[in-house]
Amino acid sequence: MTVKDLELTGRHTSVAVPQLMVQGVLTWLRSRLVSGAVCVCVGACLLLHYCSVCQNKSWQKLKTMVHFSPFVVSFKKRYPWVQLAGHAGNFQAGEFGRLLKRYCECEQQCLQKLMKDTLRPYVPGYYGVVQRDEQDYNLMDDLLADFDSPSIMDCKMGSRTYLEEELTKARERPRLRKDMYDKMVAVDPGAPTEEERAQQGVLKPRYMQWRETLSSTATLGFRIEGIKKADGTCNTNFKKTKQREQVMQALKDFVDGNTQILKLYLERLEELRSVLDQSVFFRTHEVVGSSLLFVHDSSGKARVWMIDFGKTVPLPPDQTLDHRTPWVEGNREDGYLWGLDNLIDILSSMLPQTP
């Protein structure tokens, strides 16, 4: 594209012509990965130039054109996202269907590897590190951008949500934690031992292992962290959802009895399981604290992605995991596929059985 291509001439050009020309220029700029801010400035300058050439056009018309330009509308749009579990402050809305997540080196390294792995279609697209307000963020796809008022579920996968090294570090510096004792008592007043009650505190390893026994993490290898429905209702009260029947009821509520959505989820999970069996990344990493994000909307779209890799760490070069073997401290097994097998089995049992 040359400077001549950008010239706007003629006093009696219709409003549609400059708007189309501006959109063409912006499309060309975006195709060359020019930043959104630069594109907005270029678009405004072109429209201002047109206004100065066509002096009989009112400022109001120009203002309307700028306000309703499809590009400017998309630039202003903040794609919806929800973090059902964790710290919402870790996220910021990005542009063009992307999301900023507070920088974590471990997650960055995982996402870089995953972009070259067979799991690439099942994780958010990753675009490197960006800075905003002097804070580094990992830039990735906003997985909700193509959905309209979606329903969302976060399932934490695996038989534990803490790394083995976390247990080791906590034991090296044992310290009674009153905050963890208070959390334990709030959930189950009878959980502390007599000694812990007298001390009004618990050790971190004890708390971490006790916490996993409360939910289906211990019984099924996954747990529901939170559900947000299309109507805006949000439920994160699944700490004691432990039995298969309880999980099944929560899943039924999530899909509102829609068997087509259920089938799409089941197909996606079966595809994911097959790819996980082939993935070099998966075989060579301890996948802890990672979630499956379920998203569907009223149009009938339904997808599942793997998210959250802040605790996913590489194994020693001579070790691999099958992700189904029960965890014993030292073997680093995480139970991810055990949980996925159970999740698939539950969803399958929820579908009408054909003769």
Side-chain angles (χ1 to χ4, degrees):
M1 181 171 285
T2 65
V3 173
K4 186 175 181 180
D5 294 324
L6 303 180
E7 288 178 358
L8 294 171
T9 58
R11 228 175 228 283
H12 304 292
T13 309
S14 70
V15 170
V17 172
Q19 189 171 1
L20 288 172
M21 293 182 72
V22 169
Q23 291 172 18
V25 171
L26 295 178
T27 300
W28 181 81
L29 289 170
R30 293 201 302 277
S31 72
R32 281 148 181 80
L33 301 179
V34 176
S35 72
V38 171
C39 290
V40 169
C41 290
V42 170
C45 288
L46 288 173
L47 289 172
L48 286 168
H49 174 68
Y50 174 75
C51 187
S52 67
V53 171
C54 304
Q55 296 175 2
N56 61 328
K57 304 297 181 184
S58 67
W59 170 252
Q60 183 60 40
K61 189 166 290 185
L62 172 66
K63 184 178 177 183
T64 301
M65 288 166 61
V66 172
H67 182 72
F68 289 105
S69 164
F71 171 70
V72 176
V73 170
S74 68
F75 178 78
K76 288 180 177 179
K77 183 177 179 182
R78 289 298 176 258
Y79 294 95
W81 58 267
V82 171
Q83 187 192 19
L84 290 172
H87 305 287
N90 286 345
F91 289 87
Q92 288 200 36
E95 299 153 10
F96 312 119
R98 293 178 183 175
L99 185 69
L100 281 70
K101 185 176 182 182
R102 190 178 292 272
Y103 178 75
C104 165
E105 183 179 4
C106 183
E107 185 156 43
Q108 177 203 24
Q109 292 174 354
C110 287
L111 288 169
Q112 285 176 332
K113 294 176 186 176
L114 284 163
M115 292 303 97
K116 302 173 184 177
D117 191 81
T118 53
L119 283 171
R120 170 66 185 84
Y122 300 89
V123 299
Y126 181 65
Y127 307 99
V129 180
V130 299
Q131 193 172 72
R132 179 180 287 184
D133 300 327
E134 300 183 352
Q135 170 66 50
D136 287 341
Y137 292 89
N138 284 317
L139 181 63
M140 61 188 72
D141 282 336
D142 179 353
L143 300 175
L144 309 189
D146 293 330
F147 291 84
D148 184 22
S149 300
S151 294
I152 307 151
M153 177 173 68
D154 181 313
C155 278
K156 192 74 72 180
M157 300 302 295
S159 55
R160 57 189 167 90
T161 58
Y162 52 85
L163 292 167
E164 287 195 0
E165 64 185 50
E166 290 182 84
L167 281 179
T168 302
K169 288 179 181 178
R171 286 175 182 145
E172 287 172 353
R173 302 180 63 182
R175 182 168 64 91
L176 288 173
R177 296 283 298 269
K178 186 178 186 307
D179 59 330
M180 291 181 175
Y181 173 84
D182 290 341
K183 288 179 182 178
M184 181 183 284
V185 171
V187 174
D188 182 0
T193 64
E194 290 185 13
E195 183 180 3
E196 288 166 344
R197 216 181 307 278
Q199 295 170 332
Q200 292 286 291
V202 296
L203 296 173
K204 186 175 181 179
R206 149 80 166 137
Y207 175 80
M208 292 164 69
Q209 292 174 311
W210 165 81
R211 183 182 57 188
E212 305 294 43
T213 65
L214 296 175
S215 70
S216 56
T217 291
T219 55
L220 296 170
F222 73 92
R223 70 170 181 247
I224 299 172
E225 287 284 281
I227 290 175
K228 176 191 170 293
K229 302 289 288 293
D231 60 9
T233 57
C234 189
N235 184 7
T236 58
N237 187 28
F238 296 101
K239 289 184 177 65
K240 290 189 174 182
T241 302
K242 186 173 184 177
Q243 303 306 322
R244 181 186 175 95
E245 294 74 20
Q246 295 174 298
V247 172
M248 191 178 295
Q249 186 57 54
L251 294 173
K252 284 180 181 177
D253 292 342
F254 174 56
V255 299
D256 283 329
N258 189 323
T259 56
Q260 186 56 37
I261 294 294
L262 208 57
K263 286 179 183 177
L264 291 174
Y265 279 144
L266 185 58
E267 288 172 8
R268 178 77 167 173
L269 291 178
E270 288 174 338
E271 290 170 5
L272 173 60
R273 180 168 62 181
S274 176
V275 175
L276 286 169
D277 283 332
Q278 305 164 15
S279 167
V280 174
F281 176 90
F282 190 62
R283 194 163 54 247
T284 57
H285 283 73
E286 180 183 359
V287 184
V288 170
S290 181
S291 289
L292 288 178
L293 185 70
F294 293 71
V295 188
H296 68 267
D297 64 16
S298 59
S299 73
K301 286 186 295 187
R303 298 291 298 277
V304 185
W305 291 273
M306 296 175 70
I307 61 169
D308 295 340
F309 300 99
K311 285 187 176 182
T312 296
V313 296
L315 299 168
D318 59 342
Q319 186 176 6
T320 60
L321 301 180
D322 64 32
H323 302 277
R324 287 188 175 95
T325 298
W327 175 64
V328 177
E329 192 169 350
N331 72 3
R332 300 187 68 168
E333 286 289 351
D334 51 45
Y336 193 107
L337 282 179
W338 174 55
L340 185 56
D341 290 340
N342 283 323
L343 182 54
I344 287 173
D345 184 61
I346 289 172
L347 290 175
S348 298
S349 70
M350 292 168 59
L351 289 172
Q353 300 302 308
T354 55

